[in-house]
Amino acid sequence: MTELVRLKDVWKTYDVGGQAVHALSGINISISEGQYVAIMGQSGSGKSTMLNLLGCLDKPTSGEYWLGEKDVSKYTDGQLSEVRNLSIGFVFQSFNLLPRISVLANIEVPLFYRGMPRSLRHPKSWELARMVALGDRALHSPQELSGGQRQRVAIARALANDPLILLADEPTGNLDSATSRDIMDLFDELHQRGRTIIMVTHELEIAAHANRVINLADGRVLQDSLNDSTSPGESTPTPPPQPSEDRE
């Protein structure tokens, strides 16, 4: 399979009261196109930091992040913003929808910022609304929807620009168990269609939907499991640089 993501000796270091704190310590990971990956770990393990780096919301202190054939770790903030808009779809636990506009308008937001004319973005947004089974609710506001329906809107919006990667941060965290199963069925369907999905979760039942699980502990890969077999997820890291940033 084609390699889509590579983290090469990635460190993320923060200065906390003059002391270096390593949120990520020499991470080496490769993710192929079409894989469905769950990232797990206890609070403070580094999973949120990794998700921020993968989503180009932050940059590593050192090391390389290759997205396709581009080392985006060297990009400026403006270039990272463009990568986020065109290549990465985000699904958040809290949905992050605009409450006063319709479902359809929420789905259109990435297309609007991309500069797509309404004559093109409007039919595409309808298509995405129908794909997530919300065609009959497309003109309603998010406030008129259930939690599961809101998450479906968020997934449709994340797919609007046909991203290389779909990143999901605890996508069922605000949902009941029955609704969570429905949302995970939708993720399974997207994966079957060839989507590359990287999901952060603390729930084993949710992680079981992925075909690969990466467990983090203290900023390192503790276990990298594929089809019930495990393999080392990291090599011996090189010493980190001195920190110059505040910890999140």
Side-chain angles (χ1 to χ4, degrees):
M1 291 186 290
T2 303
E3 183 182 73
L4 184 59
V5 166
R6 175 174 287 277
L7 298 180
K8 185 177 180 182
D9 196 26
V10 165
W11 291 80
K12 185 63 181 180
T13 306
Y14 299 96
D15 184 352
V16 180
Q19 182 177 1
V21 175
H22 309 304
L24 296 176
S25 302
I27 296 289
N28 289 284
I29 286 174
S30 174
I31 296 174
S32 299
E33 185 176 1
Q35 278 197 315
Y36 188 175
V37 180
I39 299 173
M40 302 192 72
Q42 296 181 354
S43 178
S45 62
K47 60 184 187 296
S48 294
T49 301
M50 183 182 289
L51 193 74
N52 287 339
L53 293 181
L54 291 172
C56 294
L57 296 167
D58 201 357
K59 293 191 286 188
T61 304
S62 67
E64 300 175 3
Y65 170 22
W66 289 82
L67 181 58
E69 298 179 351
K70 301 175 181 178
D71 181 5
V72 298
S73 60
K74 306 297 191 294
Y75 277 21
T76 64
D77 290 343
Q79 289 172 316
L80 288 176
S81 178
E82 185 175 359
V83 171
R84 288 195 302 271
N85 290 338
L86 299 179
S87 300
I88 300 171
F90 294 92
V91 179
F92 300 99
Q93 177 178 345
S94 56
F95 317 135
N96 288 9
L97 301 177
L98 299 173
R100 294 185 175 85
I101 63 176
S102 70
V103 165
L104 205 64
N106 268 280
I107 296 172
E108 285 187 13
V109 167
L111 302 174
F112 174 82
Y113 284 108
R114 187 177 178 176
M116 181 181 289
R118 189 176 187 277
S119 61
L120 296 179
R121 68 174 188 262
H122 197 62
K124 183 167 185 178
S125 297
W126 269 108
E127 178 185 350
L128 288 166
R130 295 187 185 102
M131 187 197 75
V132 297
L134 287 175
D136 61 338
R137 308 289 285 176
L139 300 180
H140 291 253
S141 73
Q143 296 168 318
E144 299 174 284
L145 305 180
S146 68
Q149 289 172 328
R150 292 181 190 184
Q151 193 60 295
R152 286 178 177 273
V153 177
I155 292 170
R157 180 187 59 188
L159 295 172
N161 276 330
D162 193 23
L164 293 175
I165 304 172
L166 187 61
L167 293 181
D169 187 7
E170 301 282 4
T172 63
N174 283 335
L175 305 176
D176 60 45
S177 57
T179 306
S180 295
R181 286 193 293 271
D182 290 341
I183 292 300
M184 295 314 299
D185 286 345
L186 178 54
F187 276 108
D188 291 346
E189 181 182 342
L190 292 172
H191 174 236
Q192 290 166 8
R193 294 183 182 185
R195 289 286 173 186
T196 305
I197 301 172
I198 303 175
M199 172 179 60
V200 163
T201 182
H202 67 279
E203 299 180 65
L204 289 172
E205 184 177 352
I206 299 301
H209 286 260
N211 58 16
R212 179 180 175 189
V213 179
I214 297 172
N215 283 282
L216 300 181
D218 300 322
R220 300 177 184 273
V221 175
L222 181 66
Q223 188 178 63
D224 189 345
S225 305
L226 180 63
N227 294 331
D228 296 326
S229 64
T230 58
S231 58
E234 61 176 359
S235 60
T236 303
T238 56
Q242 292 300 310
S244 60
E245 305 177 47
D246 295 328
R247 186 170 190 175
E248 59 182 358

